[in-house]
Amino acid sequence: MNGILVVNEFLHSNKFNEIHAWLVTAAKKQGIELQVRTNAELLIDIPIGRKDINADFILFWDKDVKLAYYLEQLGYPVFNSSKAIGICDDKALTHLTLMNAGIPMPRTRIAPMTFDNIGYTNYDFLMETAKSLGFPMVVKESFGSFGQQVYLVSDYGELARRVSQCGAKPVIFQEFIRSSEGRDVRLQVVGDRVIAGMYRYSENGDFRANVTNGGRMKQYEPTPEQCGLALQCCREIGLDFAGVDLLFGGKEEPILCEVNSNAHFKNIFDCTGVNAADAIISYILMRLIP
Ligand SMILES: Nc1ncnc2c1ncn2[C@@H]1O[C@H](COP(=O)(O)OP(=O)(O)O)[C@@H](O)[C@H]1O
Ligand SMILES: [Mg+2]
């Protein structure tokens, strides 16, 4: 059996290379040759299918959803699917997809779409959002990771400045879950199981718990309610594996923060000793040879 690990041509940091190497090693341990190819090497060519792909499956560790879709159209089993990756990559789409599934989540407003060369010429929607969500308010770029495009704004002036800095990029506005300030839970899901959990907390006063942002982490035994919520989100979105971030509500009940289709699993390994790469490869094998 052999597979292709699709990665992004233009991301070269160690942080990413390390995850790719772990996946290749995990595959090797299970007798699978996983060849690394970048999204630029597998350039989409329509309507001709590529002749240089020899794989029983594609492990898609990128967000180039058009390429994932193309590979699906060529008939390859792709993990995660292009649709699931697309829903996770866009935080607005994640909340929209889950809104009718009874998933507790922060009240969320999605900024109206505008155009690059125009931006926003009328801020009435922002005024209305300020009135309904109040302050402090969480502003997130729809496409962002590691907490780097997530902001807390404390008044209307800051909100307007932040939105104008984002230009025409899609953003969402969220109720600030104060009971979760500086802490959250990351659960690693593979198939229909939560394989590991960690509690992340910031000690530097930042409201974000991301480890990349200076947050600390410790091993965490998730409650059945947290596990149920994470698994339900993954099922609804159609994910094979994911990292699910949960906030703490006023009674410590879980509230969905976001779902990551290509979650960096090194931190959770350092924290718990659980190697998500092994579980992901076993899961793919199980799916291909039930
Ligand atoms: N509505 C919210 N209320 C309180 N804290 C939040 C809220 N949304 C996000 N956070 C905090 O910000 C962090 C980053 O947000 P998240 O949506 O997970 O974005 P990213 O994809 O950048 O990790 C979360 O881990 C959490 O600690
Ligand atoms: Mg997150």
Side-chain angles (χ1 to χ4, degrees):
M1 169 108 43
N2 53 59
I4 288 181
L5 175 66
V6 178
V7 304
N8 193 281
E9 170 74 34
F10 312 104
L11 278 178
H12 286 298
S13 75
N14 264 347
K15 189 171 176 147
F16 288 91
N17 294 340
E18 198 172 25
I19 293 290
H20 306 157
W22 279 35
L23 289 165
V24 171
T25 305
K28 203 174 200 163
K29 276 193 267 176
Q30 300 191 46
I32 298 171
E33 201 206 320
L34 196 57
Q35 197 193 356
V36 182
R37 305 287 297 274
T38 76
N39 61 329
E41 289 166 0
L42 296 175
L43 204 62
I44 297 176
D45 192 354
I46 299 170
I48 311 162
R50 295 196 66 103
K51 304 275 182 275
D52 58 345
I53 302 175
N54 170 26
D56 300 302
F57 69 91
I58 311 280
L59 176 49
F60 205 88
W61 214 264
D62 191 15
K63 298 197 173 162
D64 192 334
V65 287
K66 294 190 189 84
L67 176 60
Y69 187 29
Y70 175 68
L71 295 168
E72 286 162 358
Q73 303 260 48
L74 294 181
Y76 298 100
V78 178
F79 303 94
N80 280 304
S81 71
S82 62
K83 185 167 175 221
I85 296 172
I87 291 171
C88 290
D89 193 26
D90 180 339
K91 290 179 167 59
L93 260 188
T94 310
H95 291 290
L96 273 169
T97 303
L98 297 175
M99 69 173 275
N100 284 328
I103 307 277
M105 54 177 93
R107 185 160 168 217
T108 300
R109 290 190 145 216
I110 297 175
M113 178 260 176
T114 183
F115 301 90
D116 273 352
N117 55 340
I118 300 177
Y120 292 120
T121 51
N122 174 336
Y123 271 18
D124 288 355
F125 75 91
L126 209 55
M127 197 60 100
E128 201 200 305
T129 299
K131 274 197 203 120
S132 69
L133 297 183
F135 293 100
M137 183 198 300
V138 176
V139 179
K140 300 185 188 182
E141 294 183 25
S142 289
F143 300 91
S145 354
F146 308 121
Q148 280 159 3
Q149 291 82 15
V150 175
Y151 318 98
L152 193 65
V153 296
S154 55
D155 56 38
Y156 184 78
E158 253 186 76
L159 172 66
R161 270 195 302 281
R162 187 51 79 185
V163 169
S164 102
Q165 274 163 12
C166 290
K169 279 188 273 187
V171 295
I172 64 174
F173 309 102
Q174 260 180 5
E175 159 197 10
F176 176 48
I177 307 296
R178 198 181 284 277
S179 41
S180 201
E181 182 166 4
R183 67 195 182 113
D184 74 359
V185 164
R186 159 63 61 88
L187 298 183
Q188 177 69 48
V189 173
V190 180
D192 58 4
R193 284 195 319 128
V194 173
I195 62 161
M198 65 176 168
Y199 177 80
R200 305 186 297 187
Y201 58 105
S202 95
E203 288 183 324
N204 57 9
D206 199 306
F207 79 103
R208 297 162 297 183
N210 306 68
V211 174
T212 310
N213 253 333
R216 315 260 326 248
M217 54 190 177
K218 61 182 179 199
Q219 192 167 353
Y220 180 77
E221 191 58 52
T223 65
E225 202 187 354
Q226 287 170 326
C227 291
L229 183 59
L231 293 173
Q232 191 191 350
C233 292
C234 292
R235 264 196 316 274
E236 294 286 342
I237 297 173
L239 287 153
D240 298 298
F241 43 81
V244 182
D245 292 348
L246 300 177
L247 302 169
F248 291 95
K251 299 191 174 87
E252 297 292 280
E253 77 282 9
I255 297 179
L256 176 72
C257 179
E258 64 143 355
V259 187
N260 301 279
S261 58
N262 313 6
H264 271 256
F265 46 71
K266 180 175 181 299
N267 288 336
I268 215 161
F269 173 77
D270 291 343
C271 185
T272 67
V274 176
N275 183 340
D278 289 337
I280 288 170
I281 299 294
S282 304
Y283 167 85
I284 292 175
L285 276 178
M286 185 270 292
R287 282 286 305 275
L288 296 176
I289 320 164

